[in-house]
Amino acid sequence: MDYGGSALFIGVGATLVMDLWTIARRRLFGTPLANYGLVGRWFAHMTLGRFRHEHIAAAPPMLGERVIGWTAHYLIGIVLAGLLLAICGVAWARQPTLAPALAFGIATVAAPFLLMQPGMGAGIAAGRMPQPNAARVQSLITHTVFGIGLYAAGLVLSFLSGE
């Protein structure tokens, strides 16, 4: 499979693994599900020139914010998978290994810590949240699972491609 197709398959697969983990976490520990509607609200407000909010939940709702949020969630997963392939080479998708995928997945926690959480009003690395350390740990675990998902999706792609 080519670079774009591999990034698409691995990105969607890894994001799906992350979402399945989120569902399992809710059932096992009662942790609330991520609200991608608020992510969509944040992105939708960017079209109006507003990139930072005190509390994104208090910002005016935007038309289609849930669809925008879920679409952005999966597109981000695809872009991140593309970055992994750019770093490791497309050959990684033919013979995936855990270490690069796991390290990259963990590194992706920088995006919510430094971009999304501050932009949505939670502060750098959830510093303005009521329990910042708990939020940080959950983000780190979720992005570790994303890394495992990158590897798992790579394995599935390799198998389906007959590599």
Side-chain angles (χ1 to χ4, degrees):
M1 195 176 270
D2 67 351
Y3 175 84
S6 296
L8 176 67
F9 187 92
I10 294 169
V12 168
T15 305
L16 182 61
V17 167
M18 188 171 77
D19 289 340
L20 292 173
W21 161 250
T22 302
I23 292 167
R25 190 180 71 189
R26 179 179 185 193
R27 291 181 183 219
L28 293 171
F29 308 114
T31 308
L33 295 173
N35 185 345
Y36 291 109
L38 293 178
V39 174
R41 183 177 300 176
W42 182 53
F43 278 113
H45 275 273
M46 286 182 194
T47 66
L48 304 175
R50 181 117 192 246
F51 295 87
R52 189 181 173 288
H53 298 265
E54 284 300 312
H55 299 287
I56 192 64
M62 301 293 283
L63 183 65
E65 64 186 31
R66 290 186 72 196
V67 171
I68 294 166
W70 278 98
T71 301
H73 174 57
Y74 273 84
L75 286 175
I76 291 166
I78 294 164
V79 168
L80 291 174
L83 285 173
L84 173 65
L85 294 176
I87 292 166
C88 294
V90 178
W92 178 88
R94 289 190 213 67
Q95 294 182 318
T97 54
L98 179 60
L102 190 57
F104 184 78
I106 292 168
T108 65
V109 80
F113 280 2
L114 301 175
L115 296 173
M116 294 179 77
Q117 291 169 356
M120 294 173 69
I124 294 173
R128 294 183 62 206
M129 297 293 290
Q131 297 179 320
N133 287 333
R136 291 172 186 139
V137 168
Q138 289 305 318
S139 291
L140 185 57
I141 291 169
T142 299
H143 284 261
T144 300
V145 170
F146 178 71
I148 293 167
L150 289 167
Y151 174 64
L155 284 177
V156 171
L157 178 62
S158 175
F159 175 78
L160 293 175
S161 299
E163 300 289 335

